[in-house]
Amino acid sequence: MSMTSIVLLVIAVALIFYGVSIYNSLVALRNRYQNAFAQIEVQLKRRYDLIPNLVETAKAYMSHERDTLEAVVQARQGAMAGLASAAEKPGDPKAMAELAGAEGALGSAMGRLNVVMEAYPDLKASANMQQLSETLTSTENRVAFARQAFNDAVMQYNTYRQRFPTVLLAGTFGHGEDAAMLEFEDSEAIQEAPKVSF
């Protein structure tokens, strides 16, 4: 074996190992953002589970506000459908946009419910409603933290995928598109947990 053959063999082996390293890094980063989305999913499901309890508690006091309560229930169902779609393809731009829109509609419906509840002092004083309010606020904070972790993981994945020479191989390895962050339409307004006062 000549020296040139040995050098070419060493270069070929190094390139193969480098390609394997790029592939493994892409897989690890994709798994990281998918896991981060799973954490969002857990917190959103927790919030969706709290909403029927909130509505049922409010129904006893707010018999004249059926439209508002029904709007919250419908928005919850839409958000759950958006979450299910996004959970199938975390990072997919269309799925993330659908979830963001559904969450915006739910936030709007919950905001209307909060405004209406202000007119019912007995409801505000209810121990059950106060406990639900506290749990909902805590869950909103958890959703915000989970969303931030997901967006950070997506940014790391996209940055690595777009770097040279990874960008040359990413499509070949099944990582042809950037993952989408989860950004809500009213991004500035949701930086704070919703104010639910009782």
Side-chain angles (χ1 to χ4, degrees):
M1 211 177 213
S2 71
M3 185 61 137
T4 306
S5 298
I6 293 173
V7 169
L8 289 176
L9 183 62
V10 168
I11 290 173
V13 168
L15 288 175
I16 289 172
F17 278 112
Y18 187 65
V20 168
S21 171
I22 288 174
Y23 177 81
N24 288 340
S25 295
L26 285 167
V27 169
L29 291 169
R30 180 180 56 203
N31 289 343
R32 189 175 300 154
Y33 83 71
Q34 288 175 340
N35 179 58
F37 185 82
Q39 302 310 311
I40 293 174
E41 185 178 15
V42 166
Q43 298 308 323
L44 288 177
K45 284 181 179 178
R46 176 186 165 134
R47 182 173 69 175
Y48 299 159
D49 290 345
L50 288 171
I51 291 171
N53 295 333
L54 186 73
V55 169
E56 285 301 316
T57 302
K59 272 184 186 178
Y61 295 89
M62 301 169 53
S63 59
H64 301 296
E65 305 293 344
R66 290 275 183 226
D67 292 343
T68 302
L69 296 172
E70 288 175 8
V72 170
V73 170
Q74 289 176 350
R76 174 188 174 263
Q77 290 171 343
M80 288 176 66
L83 178 60
S85 175
E88 290 177 14
K89 298 179 184 176
D92 177 61
K94 183 180 176 192
M96 294 297 105
E98 183 180 324
L99 177 58
E103 280 296 313
L106 179 59
S108 176
M110 291 296 291
R112 286 191 305 274
L113 177 63
N114 291 336
V115 168
V116 169
M117 285 192 300
E118 288 293 319
Y120 296 88
D122 292 341
L123 176 60
K124 289 171 58 171
S126 164
N128 190 27
M129 187 57 85
Q130 289 176 352
Q131 181 182 8
L132 285 169
S133 170
E134 180 64 33
T135 305
L136 186 61
T137 300
S138 169
T139 301
E140 292 296 335
N141 289 335
R142 291 177 184 187
V143 168
F145 289 130
R147 189 170 58 90
Q148 181 62 47
F150 171 75
N151 286 343
D152 288 346
V154 166
M155 184 188 67
Q156 289 176 336
Y157 170 80
N158 289 345
T159 300
Y160 184 77
R161 198 195 72 69
Q162 294 168 4
R163 288 190 327 199
F164 182 82
T166 305
V167 70
L168 299 175
L169 300 172
T172 305
F173 293 153
H175 299 265
E177 294 183 11
D178 284 347
M181 292 187 183
L182 181 56
E183 297 177 330
F184 298 116
E185 295 170 5
D186 56 348
S187 171
E188 286 184 25
I190 63 165
Q191 295 305 315
E192 298 180 25
K195 305 277 189 267
V196 182
S197 57
F198 295 100

